Amino acid sequence: MPPPPDDDAPHEGTDSTPPPKPTASEVHACQFSSWYPTFRGIDPAAISHNTTHKRVRKNVTIESKIIRPLPRDFIVYLQSDGVRLPSCATRVSSCMNDADNNGDDRWDSSDEEGEADDDGSTEEQTQYSFPQLTEEIQSALTSLGGERNIGCLPKLNWSAPKDAAWMNCGSLKCTKPGDVYLLLKSSDFVGFDLEKAWEDLAAEDLDAEEQEPPSGGGGTPPEDFAHELVLRKWCNLHPSMEFRCFVHEHELVAVSQRHPSKFYAHLQPPEDGSVHPSVSIIHSFFHTYIRKRFADGNVPRYVVDLYVDSQERAWLVDFNVWAGRTDGLLFEWGELIALGEAVRNHERAEDDADEGSTPMPEMRVVTKDMKSMTYDPLSSYRGPTDAMDLMNGGNGSPGADGSIPNFEEFMQQCVRPSEM
């Protein structure tokens, strides 16, 4: 079964509380095109009552381009077996050593034609080509990257292909259409978006009367659903300043360090017991720009990834569903549910007392005494050493006949049908 739509696998801890399931409305609200317009080109008048800041920011998320809908044959291509690039794209990733390509930067379909299997038979392989999509990708790369071609990060409706970064020299940075195709084609997370996103959903809340919920569920997407390719302007984010924030009943209840296998001294709790500065920045940003603005306030529980830059400004990175398919990182889902209930009970008590203060969220980071207990959610998604050597221009290890494979030979082996 493919991994969850977020970039991480669920953390299975000792907590026996079953993780929540998302509704179709929550899944729909968390797809990129549903929330992105709300947080780019913000009308200051719409949020001026939420902040005491003199200057309201117009943009609080990274510039991106959305290509929607995607060609049906492109979806078929992504779901097909093997790893190969379409004929309209560059033949290898831009980060690889192309010294042996003799200036030929295009995939030639004749590279695969007539290739015989060990038993002498010839396997006909479908050749894919998406010239219009490739042109749109290149246009987005040019628009986002400018003259320096700084690159972009690709994703589909919900997921970025972080599990396939090893295919692109350990990075999600794309500067050519071929990079985009390679990452998407190699990713199980992308496969989840294509095949599993609308499965295992909870029933909609029938008491909610704000609007008609999407009709998706039971594995069937809503009628107006379309797959989309998102290209986000490449930014060199410092991993230590990425945070995952958990929202329950419109209140920020928990904040986790985004990368739970790393120890960062500057994230350690203040010795005087005060609130960490990052939490204060996140809390203020959430109440100013996100609370009850995400999904027009119709989705009360969700997970949001934020980044805090060197100027102490928070940036919106992504939204995920409040569900077990989203990694709780340093929290168990049972703990998150309990925190959500505690905050809701606190609000009820304050409503009775006519008080309006909101408790600060609980923050968890990797500390020195737990460093050896943390895990890397992407540790199971790594490339073979020989493959990485080939992709970086090395020769790899000798084969059974003593010959040294090159990258093109390695890729041809990837697209050959399995003998099992």
Side-chain angles (χ1 to χ4, degrees):
M1 176 178 174
D6 179 43
D7 51 332
D8 311 319
H11 184 195
E12 297 181 358
T14 57
D15 197 316
S16 59
T17 304
K21 295 182 180 181
T23 65
S25 292
E26 292 169 343
V27 172
H28 185 272
C30 289
Q31 74 168 345
F32 190 85
S33 60
S34 294
W35 62 261
Y36 178 74
T38 304
F39 301 98
R40 289 289 297 186
I42 297 173
D43 178 7
I47 60 172
S48 59
H49 61 285
N50 291 346
T51 181
T52 58
H53 296 292
K54 294 182 179 179
R55 181 175 177 270
V56 175
R57 293 164 58 186
K58 186 176 181 180
N59 297 309
V60 295
T61 191
I62 300 166
E63 182 182 4
S64 307
K65 300 293 184 182
I66 304 174
I67 301 175
R68 173 190 173 101
L70 296 174
R72 176 58 191 165
D73 55 342
F74 177 64
I75 303 302
V76 173
Y77 159 74
L78 292 179
Q79 294 175 318
S80 65
D81 293 335
V83 179
R84 59 189 310 170
L85 300 184
S87 60
C88 54
T90 52
R91 67 187 293 181
V92 293
S93 169
S94 59
C95 75
M96 301 174 195
N97 187 343
D98 290 347
D100 297 330
N101 286 349
N102 299 320
D104 180 9
D105 201 32
R106 296 287 173 182
W107 177 282
D108 184 356
S109 60
S110 64
D111 291 345
E112 310 296 339
E113 291 177 356
E115 187 173 288
D117 290 335
D118 293 338
D119 60 0
S121 63
T122 300
E123 181 74 21
E124 182 178 354
Q125 298 180 3
T126 302
Q127 299 297 324
Y128 294 95
S129 180
F130 320 105
Q132 182 177 348
L133 178 59
T134 300
E135 184 177 341
E136 291 181 85
I137 293 174
Q138 184 58 62
S139 176
L141 286 169
T142 302
S143 176
L144 295 170
E147 295 182 358
R148 293 184 299 158
N149 192 20
I150 61 176
C152 73
L153 180 150
K155 63 179 295 180
L156 291 193
N157 302 57
W158 300 275
S159 305
K162 287 191 174 182
D163 59 319
W166 68 274
M167 288 289 289
N168 199 43
C169 294
S171 175
L172 294 181
K173 181 178 180 178
C174 299
T175 58
K176 294 182 179 180
D179 301 344
V180 176
Y181 289 127
L182 181 65
L183 285 170
L184 297 179
K185 187 68 178 72
S186 307
S187 172
D188 284 341
F189 295 163
V190 166
F192 189 100
D193 279 16
L194 299 176
E195 301 173 1
K196 301 287 186 178
W198 299 99
E199 294 185 359
D200 197 25
L201 303 184
E204 297 285 348
D205 182 1
L206 298 180
D207 294 331
E209 300 178 354
E210 290 87 347
Q211 63 181 24
E212 186 73 19
S215 58
T220 304
E223 293 182 1
D224 61 347
F225 172 74
H227 292 294
E228 60 197 31
L229 171 60
V230 178
L231 299 174
R232 311 210 70 186
K233 186 175 183 178
W234 181 259
C235 299
N236 291 313
L237 305 183
H238 195 289
S240 71
M241 299 308 292
E242 295 182 67
F243 301 93
R244 172 155 290 180
C245 309
F246 301 86
V247 180
H248 186 270
E249 299 299 329
H250 299 294
E251 295 299 337
L252 182 61
V253 299
V255 177
S256 173
Q257 175 181 325
R258 184 65 182 81
H259 300 278
S261 62
K262 305 288 185 180
F263 170 83
Y264 299 106
H266 62 276
L267 291 184
Q268 300 308 295
E271 295 181 357
D272 61 2
S274 61
V275 176
H276 193 281
S278 295
V279 176
S280 298
I281 294 170
I282 290 170
H283 187 263
S284 175
F285 177 83
F286 169 76
H287 279 271
T288 300
Y289 295 101
I290 298 179
R291 187 177 186 271
K292 293 191 176 180
R293 295 190 69 245
F294 170 65
D296 294 326
N298 293 318
V299 175
R301 58 177 199 169
Y302 51 91
V303 179
V304 56
D305 291 336
L306 302 179
Y307 178 77
V308 178
D309 67 15
S310 58
Q311 300 180 48
E312 298 186 340
R313 297 176 303 177
W315 292 88
L316 170 57
V317 177
D318 202 5
F319 284 99
N320 297 286
V321 291
W322 174 279
R325 59 171 67 176
T326 300
D327 195 336
L329 299 177
L330 295 175
F331 291 91
E332 300 286 352
W333 269 105
E335 295 176 307
L336 293 168
I337 293 171
L339 285 170
E341 292 299 324
V343 170
R344 183 163 62 177
N345 292 336
H346 175 85
E347 289 180 334
R348 288 173 177 171
E350 289 201 335
D351 287 342
D352 294 338
D354 293 328
E355 297 179 3
S357 62
T358 303
M360 297 296 283
E362 179 177 337
M363 180 182 185
R364 288 189 185 176
V365 299
V366 176
T367 58
K368 289 183 178 180
D369 59 343
M370 64 182 292
K371 185 177 180 181
S372 61
M373 299 172 59
T374 58
Y375 73 108
D376 182 353
L378 293 175
S379 60
S380 60
Y381 301 97
R382 294 290 186 266
T385 302
D386 288 352
M388 292 299 295
D389 184 40
L390 287 167
M391 295 173 69
N392 284 285
N395 291 325
S397 301
D401 59 355
S403 62
I404 305 295
N406 58 30
F407 178 75
E408 296 303 325
E409 292 171 344
F410 165 73
M411 290 298 289
Q412 290 174 10
Q413 293 176 24
C414 289
V415 301
R416 287 178 58 183
S418 170
E419 296 179 357
M420 297 183 63

